[in-house]
């Protein structure tokens, strides 16, 4: 059965590029345009991994990760931050919030897929 | 024109200085004429005239200055009004243009986003199609779908027995021809026997004739011998006729066998030629098919390689299209900055005539904008260390 991955990014084109890479590797994809939208989609749906941007309107990525970690059903769901940010402070904030990996945009699909493969349980 | 202030220097320059020569002239006249009453009077007249001239010049200068200052005040007042009007219009312009620019930026951002999404979608479809082509060509090369190798080999295997059958038929024809040649030999032998029989029958006939001729010499006792001789001659005659027919038949059979041999020989040559040609044609056809398959494989391989290269290129393009994310962020920042500018101007405008230059913190605003752009523009891909691409926590 295909694993389901939630993509959270305010850029539709980025969601699409990530979606293409993930669908090509056999994953099922759910999309959300910001942190709040993503939380509304974590409604009992089985999610194996989350790929989230940081700079988003309404609710940014770090806040979103913190909110996810408060949810009993999803607190152990691995989260990858996919962002243009390169500041160490932001990386540290993401790590402290509970993110498992950090991938810098623009990304090479094999790198993202390698990170996902390492974090998603078989 | 700047406002002119009256100073002690200007008093000296425009009042005292012109009066001084006249006063000095009165002093000189008094000194030369001796200090008589007339001399002193003339000197005083000179001095008074000099002072009067100085006061006149000074008064005229002060009037000029007053007129000049009046003109300057009017000019400055007009300029202040113009600057105020300019400032008001500038504020109005910024307040009018800022939302329009903001709207344009937003629309541009949305259009770009939509087009990039559409472009990405098309590229994704192309990647999918190319992937399909690559997989199909892989299958073709492996012979999973088309079995061309198998078809050719099977055809070769099926045609080989046909050729073998033709060869066997040809061998049988050769055997039949050998049989006919052997039969022809036997017929020649049979003809020779018939000739011998014919010769023997002739001798019997001659013997019967001789016996018939000699039988009268034996009298009555020879009559039976003459009858026997006559019978022998009749039998010999019949034998001769049979022999003749046999000989004719043998000759006919020999002629027929020879004709069959000639036809068989001719047929053998034609069959040899056909068999040789058929074998050559089959081998050539199979060879051509093999060559065509080889070219087909080369073409498929080239097609697969090209498709793979195009797929990689499109994947790279998909990676490059991620710039839209950064462009979108920068345009959002432009929108925010325009909105902030609009708010700042509205806030200043509300102050009315209490507005002053200190209300606009230009350096602080520029620093804020630069900081925002710095955070979204970040480092270029080229400057990025590959180690930054992926970090596990």
């Amino acid at each position: 059965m295909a694993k389901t991955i939630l993509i959270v990014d305010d850029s539709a084109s980025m969601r699409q590029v990530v979606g293409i890479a993930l669908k090509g590797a056999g994953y099922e994809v759910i999309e959300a345009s910001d942190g709040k939208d993503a939380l509304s989609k974590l409604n009992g749906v089985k999610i194996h991994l989350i790929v989230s941007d940081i700079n988003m309107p309404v609710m940014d990525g770090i806040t979103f990760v913190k909110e996810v970690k408060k949810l009993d059903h999803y607190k152990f769901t691995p989260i990858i931050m996919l962002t243009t940010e390169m500041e160490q402070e932001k990386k540290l904030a993401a790590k402290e919030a509970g993110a498992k990996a950090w991938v810098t945009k623009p990304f090479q699909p094999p790198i993202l897929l390698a990170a996902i493969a390492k974090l998603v349980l078989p | 024109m700047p406002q002119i202030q009256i100073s002690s220097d200007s008093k000296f320059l425009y009042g005292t200085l012109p009066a001084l020569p006249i006063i000095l002239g009165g002093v000189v006249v008094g000194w030369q004429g001796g200090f008589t009453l007339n001399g002193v009077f003339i000197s005083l007249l000179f001095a008074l005239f000099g002072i009067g001239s100085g006061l006149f010049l000074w008064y005229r200068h002060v009037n000029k200055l007053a007129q000049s200052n009046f003109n300057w005040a009017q000019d400055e007042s007009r300029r202040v009004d113009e600057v105020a009007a300019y400032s008001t219009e500038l504020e109005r312009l910024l307040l009018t243009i800022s939302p329009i620019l903001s709207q344009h930026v937003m629309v541009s951002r949305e259009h770009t986003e939509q087009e990039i999404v559409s472009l990405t979608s098309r590229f994704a479809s192309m990647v999918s199609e190319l992937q399909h082509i690559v997989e199909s060509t892989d299958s073709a090369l492996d012979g999973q779908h088309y079995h061309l190798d198998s078809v050719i080999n099977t055809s070769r295997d099926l045609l080989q027995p046909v050729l073998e059958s033709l060869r066997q038929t040809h061998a049988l024809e050769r055997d039949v021809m050998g049989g006919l040649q052997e039969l022809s030999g036997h017929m020649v032998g049979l003809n020779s026997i018939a000739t011998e029989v014919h010769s023997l029958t002739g001798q019997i006939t001659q013997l019967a004739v001789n016996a018939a001729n000699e039988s009268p010499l034996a009298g009555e006792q020879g009559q039976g011998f003459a009858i026997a001789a006559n019978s022998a001659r009749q039998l010999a005659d019949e034998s001769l006729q049979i022999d003749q027919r046999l000989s004719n038949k043998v000759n006919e059979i020999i002629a027929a066998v020879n004709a069959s041999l000639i036809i068989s020989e001719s047929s053998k040559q034609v069959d040899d030629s056909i068999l040789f040609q058929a074998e050559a044609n089959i081998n050539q056809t199979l060879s051509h098919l093999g060559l065509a398959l080889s070219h087909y494989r080369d073409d498929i391989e080239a097609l697969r390689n090209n498709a793979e290269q195009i797929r990689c290129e499109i994947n790279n393009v998909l990676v490059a299209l991620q710039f839209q994310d950064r462009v979108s962020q920068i345009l959002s920042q432009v929108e925010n900055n325009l909105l902030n500018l609009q708010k700042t101007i509205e806030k200043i405008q509300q102050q009315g005539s209490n507005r002053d230059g200190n209300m606009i913190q230009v350096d602080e605003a520029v620093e804020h904008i630069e900081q925002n752009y710095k955070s979204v523009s970040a480092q270029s891909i080229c400057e990025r260390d590959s180690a930054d691409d992926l970090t596990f926590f």
Side-chain angles (χ1 to χ4, degrees):
Chain A
M1 186 181 167
K3 309 284 183 191
T4 305
I5 295 177
L6 174 64
I7 303 169
V8 191
D9 202 309
D10 57 321
S11 166
S13 61
M14 274 307 301
R15 290 201 301 272
Q16 193 170 36
V17 170
V18 177
I20 289 164
L22 299 189
K23 285 173 188 168
Y27 295 104
E28 284 184 3
V29 167
I30 297 174
E31 294 184 15
S33 59
D34 58 65
K36 194 176 175 185
D37 185 28
L39 286 173
S40 72
K41 290 182 176 174
L42 291 176
N43 192 15
V45 180
K46 179 66 181 169
I47 302 287
H48 295 85
L49 186 137
I50 298 170
V51 177
S52 175
D53 189 14
I54 286 186
N55 297 313
M56 293 182 290
V58 186
M59 184 187 286
D60 67 88
I62 302 290
T63 309
F64 168 65
V65 175
K66 288 176 181 172
E67 291 298 318
V68 170
K69 294 298 163 186
K70 290 177 189 171
L71 303 172
D72 288 340
H73 283 88
Y74 300 101
K75 61 184 173 186
F76 297 116
T77 304
I79 303 175
I80 296 174
M81 307 309 297
L82 180 63
T83 176
T84 53
E85 290 286 350
M86 297 181 76
E87 293 175 28
Q88 287 303 316
E89 295 149 11
K90 290 272 176 74
K91 268 192 182 182
L92 192 61
K95 183 182 175 183
E96 285 174 353
K100 289 292 181 188
W102 179 282
V103 176
T104 308
K105 289 181 193 171
F107 70 97
Q108 293 288 340
I111 289 177
L112 179 64
L113 292 173
I116 290 171
K118 194 168 180 182
L119 293 174
V120 174
L121 294 174
Chain B
M1 188 172 71
Q3 185 181 21
I4 300 170
Q5 300 291 331
I6 297 169
S7 64
S8 56
D9 291 343
S10 63
K11 280 180 185 173
F12 177 77
L13 191 63
Y14 292 101
T16 312
L17 194 61
L20 267 178
I22 301 171
I23 293 168
L24 283 173
V27 172
V28 170
V29 167
W31 178 61
Q32 289 292 325
F35 287 100
T36 62
L37 187 60
N38 287 335
V40 170
F41 182 71
I42 290 166
S43 298
L44 283 173
L45 280 176
F46 265 98
L48 286 171
F49 182 71
I51 291 166
S53 302
L55 287 171
F56 173 73
L57 290 172
W58 167 243
Y59 177 74
R60 205 175 67 165
H61 174 65
V62 166
N63 276 345
K64 269 188 176 178
L65 286 180
Q67 184 62 41
S68 174
N69 282 339
F70 177 73
N71 292 339
W72 174 83
Q74 278 191 327
D75 192 40
E76 287 300 307
S77 175
R78 194 177 67 249
R79 280 172 179 272
V80 167
D81 290 344
E82 283 174 359
V83 169
Y86 171 76
S87 173
T88 306
E89 285 301 300
L90 188 62
E91 284 175 356
R92 198 167 68 85
L93 177 71
L94 286 171
L95 287 175
T96 309
I97 283 181
S98 183
I100 295 170
L101 289 177
S102 186
Q103 179 72 12
H104 285 175
V105 169
M106 188 185 74
V107 170
S108 302
R109 185 166 60 84
E110 286 176 356
H111 281 183
T112 310
E113 184 82 24
Q114 283 171 4
E115 290 307 313
I116 292 290
V117 167
S118 169
L119 198 61
T120 308
S121 178
R122 287 178 199 169
F123 276 131
S125 298
M126 288 164 71
V127 167
S128 176
E129 289 296 323
L130 287 169
Q131 179 67 30
H132 182 66
I133 289 171
V134 169
E135 285 171 0
S136 298
T137 52
D138 282 346
S139 298
L141 285 173
D142 293 342
Q144 294 295 318
H145 287 171
Y146 300 105
H147 300 291
L148 287 175
D149 269 343
S150 173
V151 167
I152 289 178
N153 288 334
T154 306
S155 301
R156 193 187 298 276
D157 291 344
L158 287 172
L159 287 168
Q160 286 302 333
V162 173
L163 281 173
E164 191 55 38
S165 296
L166 285 171
R167 285 194 198 99
Q168 284 176 1
T169 305
H170 192 57
L172 283 173
E173 283 180 356
R174 277 203 302 271
D175 290 345
V176 169
M177 206 168 73
L180 282 172
Q181 282 173 340
E182 195 177 344
L183 182 63
S184 177
H186 289 315
M187 286 298 148
V188 170
L190 193 62
N191 198 23
S192 173
I193 291 169
T195 304
E196 286 176 10
V197 169
H198 183 75
S199 171
L200 193 60
T201 304
Q203 288 176 16
I204 290 170
T205 303
Q206 187 60 48
L207 186 62
V209 169
N210 291 336
N213 290 333
E214 292 296 328
S215 62
L217 297 177
E220 286 185 6
Q221 291 176 339
Q223 286 179 351
F225 187 68
I227 292 166
N230 194 38
S231 296
R233 195 186 63 190
Q234 285 177 348
L235 283 172
D237 287 344
E238 286 175 10
S239 177
L240 200 62
Q241 287 171 3
I242 291 168
D243 177 55
Q244 188 60 46
R245 288 206 305 274
L246 179 66
S247 183
N248 289 341
K249 284 292 174 189
V250 167
N251 284 333
E252 284 174 10
I253 290 170
I254 287 171
V257 168
N258 284 338
S260 296
L261 277 172
I262 290 167
I263 291 168
S264 292
E265 184 63 31
S266 175
S267 172
K268 176 181 167 292
Q269 286 175 359
V270 171
D271 286 350
D272 280 345
S273 174
I274 289 171
L275 191 61
F276 177 78
Q277 194 62 45
E279 194 168 358
N281 285 347
I282 288 168
N283 286 332
Q284 196 175 16
T285 303
L286 290 174
S287 173
H288 285 170
L289 278 173
L291 197 61
L293 176 62
S294 175
H295 288 160
Y296 173 68
R297 276 178 157 170
D298 291 344
D299 290 345
I300 286 179
E301 182 70 25
L303 179 66
R304 196 186 70 82
N305 288 338
N306 288 340
E308 187 65 35
Q309 279 182 350
I310 293 169
R311 194 166 65 97
C312 288
E313 287 297 320
I314 293 176
N315 275 331
N316 289 336
V317 170
L318 285 174
V319 172
L321 282 177
Q322 294 175 40
F323 81 91
Q324 168 58 23
D325 183 45
R326 191 160 292 177
V327 171
S328 185
Q329 285 185 28
I330 291 171
L331 289 176
S332 293
Q333 209 60 55
V334 172
E335 276 180 70
N336 289 336
N337 289 331
L338 284 169
L339 188 66
N340 287 338
L341 177 65
Q342 189 183 344
K343 284 178 180 173
T344 304
I345 291 167
E346 282 172 348
K347 193 176 169 185
I348 291 170
Q349 206 177 29
Q350 285 168 2
Q351 297 300 315
S353 59
N354 292 329
R355 285 174 286 182
D356 60 51
N358 293 328
M359 297 179 81
I360 305 174
Q361 304 296 329
V362 177
D363 291 339
E364 191 180 319
V366 169
E367 189 182 352
H368 178 67
I369 289 171
E370 282 179 346
Q371 194 62 36
N372 286 339
Y373 281 133
K374 194 177 174 185
S375 70
V376 293
S377 59
Q379 284 177 277
S380 72
I381 303 169
C382 299
E383 290 170 340
R384 209 168 79 193
D385 187 351
S386 60
D388 294 329
D389 287 346
L390 173 60
T391 309
F392 284 105
F393 298 136

